[in-house]
Amino acid sequence: MQIKQQQQIRAFLSEKFGGDSDSTLFERQEALLQGCIARTEGKSPNQMKTLTETILPRVALYKALSEHFPHEDAYKTMRAYMLEIVAPEKHSSTAKMEAIPGFYFLYSRIFLRVVRKSDLWESTQSHGKDHFEVTMKKCLWHTACVENGCAELCPLFCEVDNVAYGGLRKLGFARTQTLGYGGDCCDFHFFKK
C-alpha cells in the first residue's frame, strides 16, 4: 500500500537521525502502522481513508519513537515533526488560497459543508456574515489517539491547527478548548479579517 505521508516521514527520519537509525525507525514505524490499520474496526470507508493516510502514520511514528527513546525525547521529536513539517505545509496551503477572490466566502462555505457532511467529526455549526463556528463534540483524530493508547499525542494535532490557521491575512482563528487538551469539545471560531 502506498501512503504518501510515508515519504514525508521517511525524509524526516533520515534528516533527523541519518544512517542506520532512520532505516530502523522507519521499518518499525511501517510495521506499527500496518498493525494499527489491521486492528481498526467499525469505521466507515471515509474514516478508514483518513486514518490510513493521515492519522495512523503519525500515531505509528510516535509509537516507534517511543520504543527507541525516552518518552520526553520521543515526544519532542514528534512535536518537531508536527510543527516543523506538517503544520507549515498546512499553513502554506491555506495562505495560498487567500489569493482567490472571495476567499472568505468560499472558504467558510466549503469548511462548513465538509464538516457537516463528513463522518470524521460530530459537530454543530453556526455562521454569520463575518464569522463561522464549529463545535466538535467528537473528532476522529482524538478517537484514534485514545484507541491506540497515545492520548498524549492528540494535543500535537491541535497545535497543527493553531499554526495552520494562525497568522493568515484574511481569516482569523481562535479556540478556547479542544478534546485533545481535555476539553468537552473543540470550539473552532473563524472570523473575517
Side-chain angles (χ1 to χ4, degrees), residues 24 27 34 42 88 98 110 125 131 139 153 155 157 162 166 169 190-191 193:
T24 302
E27 286 170 13
Q34 294 311 314
E98 286 188 302
I110 292 168
Q125 308 86 33
H131 74 279
C139 162
L153 177 62
F157 287 103
N162 294 339
R169 292 179 298 111
F190 293 95
F191 54 94
K193 286 186 174 180

Side-chain angles (χ1 to χ4, degrees), residues 39-74:
R39 285 188 303 278
T40 301
E41 297 176 340
K43 305 296 187 218
S44 72
N46 184 47
Q47 290 171 333
M48 276 308 297
K49 182 176 192 277
T50 300
L51 284 164
T52 302
E53 294 178 1
T54 304
I55 303 169
L56 294 180
R58 295 168 184 164
V59 166
L61 175 59
Y62 178 60
K63 287 180 167 288
L65 291 167
S66 296
E67 289 178 358
H68 283 78
F69 302 105
H71 179 268
E72 186 176 304
D73 293 339

Side-chain angles (χ1 to χ4, degrees), residues 67-84:
E67 289 178 358
H68 283 78
F69 302 105
H71 179 268
E72 186 176 304
D73 293 339
Y75 193 83
K76 185 188 286 187
T77 302
M78 191 66 198
R79 190 170 196 277
Y81 171 70
M82 296 293 280
L83 297 182
E84 295 170 17

Side-chain angles (χ1 to χ4, degrees), residues 122-124 134-139 142-143 158 175-188:
E122 289 178 12
S123 66
T124 58
V134 177
T135 302
M136 300 194 177
K137 305 285 188 187
K138 190 173 181 182
C139 162
H142 178 255
T143 301
C158 303
R175 269 191 312 213
T176 64
Q177 61 180 316
T178 69
L179 294 165
Y181 276 107
D184 296 330
C185 65
C186 300
D187 58 347
F188 287 75

Side-chain angles (χ1 to χ4, degrees), residues 26-37:
F26 185 70
E27 286 170 13
R28 185 62 184 141
Q29 184 269 350
E30 282 195 313
L32 289 165
L33 172 58
Q34 294 311 314
C36 288
I37 292 169

